[in-house]
Amino acid sequence: QEGQWAAQGLAELLDRANAPIFAVSLEGIITEWNYFISHLTGVQHDAAMGSKIWDRIQANAHKTLQEAISAMQTGAMGMPFELKLKGVASGDAPTALLASLTPQFDSKGQA
């Protein structure tokens, strides 16, 4: 009960942070998309969740993101990199973020 309360509080803290926070699975599926990044991009939480990150970033950022994911999987600490996210409409200017990757581990220690 207490663990569930703590997890729920942490999830709410991340969702309401004054910083763009999103999480992506190793397969590139968006698993978290907070309020701030929704505000920046215009892409709402429900629309982003379950979608592929590759569909949400500029095409010229695909290689950079793939390299960062590969480096993270080998245990290397990733350097910050620029990631340009698409807006809702095709004419929207991209949102440039200085991003870094932090692995999340399950109870078995798997990323």
Side-chain angles (χ1 to χ4, degrees), residues 5-24:
W5 178 82
Q8 186 176 7
L10 181 57
E12 188 172 322
L13 178 68
L14 292 174
D15 190 48
R16 304 233 181 260
N18 279 337
I21 298 173
F22 63 99
V24 179

Side-chain angles (χ1 to χ4, degrees), residues 54 62-72 101:
W54 313 110
H62 287 205
K63 182 179 177 189
T64 301
L65 180 57
Q66 187 58 56
E67 289 172 352
I69 290 171
S70 295
M72 182 199 62
L101 300 180

Side-chain angles (χ1 to χ4, degrees), residues 12-105:
E12 188 172 322
L13 178 68
L14 292 174
D15 190 48
R16 304 233 181 260
N18 279 337
I21 298 173
F22 63 99
V24 179
S25 71
L26 292 176
E27 294 78 28
I29 304 299
I30 296 173
T31 59
E32 186 55 60
W33 192 263
N34 78 346
Y35 172 80
F36 197 89
I37 199 164
S38 289
H39 177 74
L40 287 176
T41 64
V43 177
Q44 296 305 308
H45 177 269
D46 291 344
M49 294 296 288
S51 66
K52 296 178 181 177
I53 189 64
W54 313 110
D55 297 336
R56 300 279 174 208
I57 63 174
Q58 296 266 298
N60 60 0
H62 287 205
K63 182 179 177 189
T64 301
L65 180 57
Q66 187 58 56
E67 289 172 352
I69 290 171
S70 295
M72 182 199 62
Q73 287 177 307
T74 64
M77 287 301 293
M79 296 296 295
F81 59 95
E82 184 177 82
L83 188 62
K84 290 187 178 179
L85 296 166
K86 297 177 185 176
V88 176
S90 60
D92 288 350
T95 301
L97 300 176
L98 185 59
S100 61
L101 300 180
T102 304
Q104 292 180 329
F105 299 97

